[in-house]
Every structure is written in C-alpha cells, then in structure tokens.
Amino acid sequence: MNVAEAVGRVLTSLGVDTAFGVVGSGNFHVTNALVEHGVRFVAARHEGGAATMADAYARTGGRVGVLSVHQGPGLTNAMTGITEAAKSRTPLIVLAAEVTEPRSNFFVDQAALATAVGAVPLRITSAETAVAETVQAFHLARDGRRTVLLNLPLEVQGRPVPTPPAHVSPVPAPPGHVPLGSTPRHASPASAPPAPASLVSVPEPAEPEAGEVARLAELLGAARRPVFVAGRGARAARLELEELAERIGALLATSAVAKGLFRGSPWDLDVSGGFASPLTAELVRGADVIVGWGCALNMWTMRQGTLIGPEAKVVQVDLDADALGAHRPIDLGVVGDVARTARSVTALLAGGGDDLRQASAARDGVGREASAVPESSPGVSDVPDGSGPGTPGGTGYRSGVLAGRIARENRWRDVPYADEGGEGRIDPRTLTIELDDLLPAERVVSVDSGNFMGYPSMFLDVPDERGFCFTQAFQSIGLGLATAIGAALAQPDRLPVAALGDGGALMGVAELETVVRLGLPMVIVVYDDEGYGAEVHHFGPDGHSLDTVTFPPVDIADIARGFGCEAVTVRGREDLAAVAGWLDGPRRRPLLVHAKVSGARGAWWLEEAFRGH
C-alpha cells in the first residue's frame, strides 16, 4: 500500500463518508482510495463548486467535509470556497496534490495560500509518518473546527507505507467540537514537519471559569429585558439555552447562520441584525442585557451597534478567547462551551441568592458580596414598560401581550408592503411569500450573496437550524448552487431549495449539470433583475454610470433546460402554478424558477450592508 492509498484508507476508517472534488492526475490515486474503501465521491464541474459543496455538506450534516483537488490550478480554482469555509470555521480537509519543484508549471506555494485565507496547512512528509499526519489533520479539522489543507507531494504519494494501516478507531468528538486552540501552532511554513499525531490530544469540552459564570449569573439575575443571540457556536445548545432563557425570561434571536435554531418557540425573534424584522429590531434594541452565545455580535448581527441600547450590558460566550470583544466592546466575556456555560448559569440561578453570593465571594475574595445580586428570585422585578412580569403570566422580557405581538408581527411576511410588481415583473417579496406557501415545510434553503438574498433568507421559513445554509463569511457571489448541492446530499430527506441572483446563477451555472447528474429533486430560484443589484442600488442614486453592472436579458430558464432541468419563467403570481404542478409530480428532474423580479429599489438591508465596506 502506498501513501496515497493509505491516506484514503485512514480517512475512511475515521468516519469520512463523502468527498467532493475534481480529479486530475495528482489526486487520482487518493480519490480512488477513498472510493475503494466506501466513500461516496461527488464529482463537481469546477473545483470552486466542489469546495463549497464540501463546506455545505459539513455544515448541515455535522460531519468533517473532504475536498480532493489537483496540484496548482486545482487548488487555486478552489480557493474562494476554501476561504469561505476557513472564515466560517468549517471542519474541512482539503486533499491537494503538490509539486515541490519550483520549475514545474504546477508549482505554487500551497501552504502560503492556505495561511493567507485562514486555513491550516499540513503536509504528508514521508511514508513512515503518513498515517499519523492524516490522523492529525482529521482531528484538527473536526475537534478544532478548522479548514485544513493536507498537501500530498507527488514524490511522496507513491512510496510504500512500511506497515499498512489497520482500522483507525476515531477518538470520540468532544461535545461542542472544542477547538485545539484559536491559533494552532500547526500553521507553520510548509517546510516545517507537523507534530506526530500521537501528540495531538482531544481536549475535554471547555468548562467556563466559576468566576465568569457567577458574573454572568449576576447580570442575568438582575436583568429585566434580556435577549439571547445565538450564533454558529450555539447550534448544538438549543435545549440548554431555552432552559436558561425560561428561567430569566429572555427572548431568543440568532445570527443569520444559526437561523431556525429556536423555531417553534413563542419567544423566537428569528434573525437579529440587518435581516431583522421591525419588531425584532425594536425588542433587541430595548434589551438591558444582550448575550451573544457562540456569536460574534459583528456589524451584521448588531447593525453596526445600533441594536445595542445605550444602557445595555453586552456579554459574549465563546470557545475562542480571541473572539471576545473582537467586533465591539463587551461588559463580560466568558470562555467556554455554550451548552456547558448555559447549564452552569442555570444551576447557579436555580440555587438562589445564597449560591450566587457564594460564587461571587469565590470570585471577589472571601467575605465580599456582590451588590448586583438581587435579594429575590431572578426575574421578579416589575418592568416599567409593561412587557415584563408586571403583566400577568410574564417573566423578565416575556409577557402574554408580547407573545401575541411576536406571533402576529415578527415574520417579515406579516409586515405590510406595497407590491411593486407589474409590467412583466414580480415583486421579490410576493414571489417568496408565494413560494413559502407552496414548498413543503421539510426543506433546506441555501442562499447565494447579492442584493436579493434577504428575501429568501427572511421570507422562506425553515424547520430548524439544519434547514438553512448561509455561506456569507466571505461575501462571494456564485456559491449558492454548490451550497445547495452539498446541503442536499447531507439531508436527502428534505427538499433542497437554492436561492440565487442572476449574477451568481450564471457564475456557478456549470454545477447545474451536477444537480441533474445526481438526480437531486432541487428547486432553484433565480431572482433576476438583470444586473449586480447591490452595485446598481449603491452607486445608481449618486448618478454613476451603471453600464458595467447591468446586462441584457438572458433566458436562464432555457439555459436550465439545456442542462436537463425543468424550468418556468415567473413574471406574476399566476406563473407559479407550474411550481405547484412540479411539486405534485414525480420530481424526476430539478426545477429552475426563473423569476423576473422588480428592481426599482434596493433591498431593505442594503443600506446597512454597505456601511461595512
């Protein structure tokens, strides 16, 4: 068994079940080794698409993603998708063939490329260490939640492994996928050999410090209008967060990437930030304590800070100490696993004032009491605005009156609007509301980037946090279709829905063939305003020429038919009858909905978005 074959066998033994890629001569043998040992290989039409498929598969399937690419251009073609994955802390292994001879046409400093975009470069350095280095890459990806580039030098791949690897028993993943560290030492130059896998330990879940837990309990115990904002790092902690929120009367919101986490709760505000409904923005802005659970609280989630009231206390709970306060000042930072931290705070509050005083004394010094600890049980103070426990049945920020408002007003579709359709174009809000009613509830929605993206993100409901895949950490357009493929393969029991703009759809159009070849019963919605809408609405009002960002009409429906899709062009509500017909049928071929949308104005979130540029 040679090195390439051993790498494939080891990854399979560690639990890898699916890999994505484009095969060239350099990654031919390692890809075949994966397949030989039972891994499903998904061949994409472009490495950029393959990288994004692997990213989405890992995000929505809860697995380590694997990407296989050729040396040099195979890797550079994939770099945008790899960058998105690295910025999103997706557990992903990139198997890249590598040439080390600078005179080769394929030569590029692949380790430097990885480092530049935030991925971790590793390398198979010899036949003797190949198995250990592969195991190391797997555990760093999975437990550190990192995107790892594992370079496979061509001159090493064919060498015989001295002792063929037996089955490698995977080390159980710690709850919460605890990282090995915010800045792994493995991110060293390619010439530095990585540490042997025997030195790679899998840490226990990060237990927060008792003093930090006590301070958080004090803040929450005294809070009258608390709001939780859960991010990617909280996606496995719904039960713990809901239990704590119930005790203190907190409202529940998420960042965009965690949309759906609290679906079904009467206190679910959905997404905080630029996508927030008017009611959500009002309630987050009115909070006296905001806790970001595994959430960066960045410019998007907090609308450049405008959702933080002048007197609000801001807290972050995160595994990564470097993430605390990275985007805005905070009053308290807690390093720890979200679920464990929430459980610890709940237990402390359940113990009452004595437990809080004891914890505070342990933090501040024996004999010192924390004056912030309320004498009574948490959440029993009246709230002057009537939204707290002064209203019958209320606790903290919760009341029967507020629950009614959330039920009636919080969904964007419940916010009145003047329909701007007509003259052969449909209002994107009307389009998306109609689709939301037509599509089955069990769906997984993947959204590309662009002016349009708020409509599918906020007008299409999803059943839970696994029903929404939002690859926006790098803000690249053109990733949406590939995202939907990866999410569809990770969750075959749900209807995959891809939401694209016309620009992103045409950028990633090659992967339509992949959708058809794989037989995915996908609904692909293209919001076509015949231009790069974000730039049109950003620069147009100032009188700039828009010739470079607008385009003549393209029959995207006809293009889709050429790939083997069913397709319908939608200019008004009545055209959506064809979508209903497809849903009621056998769904043998994917359906592309070419929606000619009105583009008279920019999306509501666009002004906020451009403040970040």
Side-chain angles (χ1 to χ4, degrees):
M1 178 175 292
N2 64 29
V3 167
E5 293 164 344
V7 170
R9 180 171 177 176
V10 168
L11 289 175
T12 305
S13 293
L14 289 167
V16 170
D17 60 8
T18 301
F20 301 82
V22 176
V23 174
S25 59
N27 64 324
F28 182 83
H29 295 296
V30 71
T31 304
N32 282 348
L34 289 167
V35 173
E36 178 185 347
H37 292 287
V39 171
R40 169 179 56 177
F41 179 69
V42 180
R45 285 299 186 170
H46 190 280
E47 289 92 349
T52 303
M53 292 173 202
D55 180 7
Y57 185 82
R59 293 189 197 208
T60 59
R63 305 171 178 90
V64 174
V66 172
L67 169 67
S68 177
V69 295
H70 186 63
Q71 65 267 23
L75 179 62
T76 57
N77 278 348
M79 285 310 298
T80 297
I82 292 170
T83 304
E84 169 65 33
K87 285 178 174 286
S88 298
R89 295 294 291 262
T90 299
L92 175 66
I93 298 172
V94 181
L95 299 174
E98 181 187 32
V99 296
T100 55
E101 170 52 59
R103 289 174 293 184
S104 168
N105 287 352
F106 290 124
F107 179 79
V108 64
D109 190 340
Q110 296 188 173
L113 283 175
T115 301
V117 302
V120 181
L122 296 178
R123 174 184 280 166
I124 300 297
T125 56
S126 70
E128 291 74 19
T129 58
V131 171
E133 289 160 349
T134 304
V135 172
Q136 178 191 25
F138 178 85
H139 286 302
L140 181 56
R142 188 193 69 178
D143 306 329
R145 292 191 305 196
R146 299 302 296 265
T147 294
V148 177
L149 171 64
L150 183 58
N151 283 309
L152 306 173
L154 295 182
E155 67 272 18
V156 175
Q157 284 192 44
R159 294 175 185 169
V161 174
T163 303
H167 177 83
V168 179
S169 298
V171 177
H177 294 269
V178 180
L180 295 172
S182 58
T183 310
R185 296 179 183 178
H186 313 301
S188 55
S191 58
S198 59
L199 299 182
V200 178
S201 61
V202 180
E204 289 297 315
E207 188 73 54
E209 291 185 4
E212 293 178 347
V213 171
R215 289 186 63 193
L216 179 53
E218 290 173 25
L219 280 173
L220 293 178
R224 296 173 13 171
R225 297 181 304 281
V227 169
F228 290 175
V229 183
R232 180 183 296 108
R235 293 181 71 195
R238 172 172 179 164
L239 293 179
E240 291 83 358
L241 291 178
E242 284 189 324
E243 183 179 0
L244 177 56
E246 179 74 19
R247 175 164 291 278
I248 64 170
L251 304 182
L252 301 164
T254 71
S255 65
V257 293
K259 176 182 171 67
L261 178 61
F262 300 115
R263 185 65 73 245
S265 168
W267 309 109
D268 178 19
L269 301 182
D270 206 6
V271 175
S272 173
F275 290 165
S277 69
L279 179 59
T280 293
E282 171 193 332
L283 294 172
V284 175
R285 195 177 287 117
D288 61 352
V289 175
I290 297 172
V291 184
W293 298 92
C295 176
L297 298 179
N298 59 25
M299 65 179 185
W300 311 108
T301 308
M302 290 288 107
R303 285 192 185 176
Q304 305 285 346
T306 62
L307 293 186
I308 301 173
E311 304 301 322
K313 300 293 185 183
V314 180
V315 180
Q316 263 186 282
V317 179
D318 204 285
L319 287 167
D320 186 353
D322 291 342
L324 302 179
H327 292 276
R328 64 192 61 263
I330 58 175
D331 297 280
L332 174 63
V334 179
V335 178
D337 172 69
V338 167
R340 283 201 168 197
T341 302
R343 283 198 299 269
S344 297
V345 174
T346 300
L348 201 54
L349 290 172
D354 288 342
D355 281 0
L356 281 173
R357 289 189 188 91
Q358 274 189 336
S360 297
R363 183 198 77 211
D364 297 327
V366 177
R368 294 179 59 191
E369 292 187 0
S371 60
V373 180
E375 292 294 330
S376 55
S377 298
V380 298
S381 303
D382 286 344
V383 177
D385 62 9
S387 61
T391 304
T395 303
Y397 214 163
R398 300 181 178 189
S399 71
V401 173
L402 185 55
R405 285 194 68 194
I406 292 171
R408 292 189 307 272
E409 303 174 35
N410 197 59
R411 298 171 74 197
W412 264 108
R413 64 181 296 160
D414 297 326
V415 178
Y417 68 95
D419 191 294
E420 296 177 351
E423 299 184 354
R425 293 196 171 270
I426 188 170
D427 189 303
R429 294 164 292 189
T430 302
L431 166 73
T432 316
I433 290 170
E434 294 289 328
L435 288 171
D436 188 49
D437 290 339
L438 285 172
L439 299 172
E442 285 299 310
R443 62 184 75 153
V444 54
V445 177
S446 301
V447 183
D448 207 342
S449 191
N451 173 62
F452 79 95
M453 71 183 185
Y455 303 114
S457 296
M458 300 314 302
F459 287 85
L460 288 180
D461 283 337
V462 294
D464 53 35
E465 75 281 2
R466 295 177 66 239
F468 190 65
C469 197
F470 194 65
T471 46
Q472 299 292 335
F474 197 35
Q475 291 182 251
S476 172
I477 72 170
L479 306 186
L481 183 56
T483 298
I485 295 171
L489 293 171
Q491 300 185 83
D493 56 328
R494 299 188 181 193
L495 178 74
V497 181
L500 321 173
D502 53 302
L506 292 171
M507 271 192 187
V509 72
E511 302 307 343
L512 276 179
E513 189 277 335
T514 305
V515 177
V516 173
R517 171 166 37 90
L518 296 177
L520 298 176
M522 184 182 294
V523 176
I524 303 158
V525 185
V526 180
Y527 293 73
D528 183 8
D529 60 2
E530 297 175 3
Y532 295 135
E535 284 67 34
V536 167
H537 297 295
H538 183 55
F539 295 108
D542 293 330
H544 295 286
S545 171
L546 300 176
D547 291 346
T548 57
V549 291
T550 55
F551 300 89
V554 175
D555 192 340
I556 298 175
D558 208 30
I559 292 173
R561 293 186 191 101
F563 277 99
C565 300
E566 294 187 36
V568 56
T569 299
V570 174
R571 298 178 181 274
R573 280 189 176 94
E574 64 280 0
D575 297 323
L576 289 166
V579 178
W582 182 88
L583 290 167
D584 291 338
R587 307 181 191 177
R588 292 194 184 96
R589 295 190 293 167
L591 174 69
L592 185 135
V593 179
H594 181 199
K596 294 285 192 176
V597 297
S598 56
R601 66 183 67 191
W604 79 94
W605 60 272
L606 195 62
E607 182 179 351
E608 293 291 341
F610 272 112
R611 289 181 187 174
H613 283 246

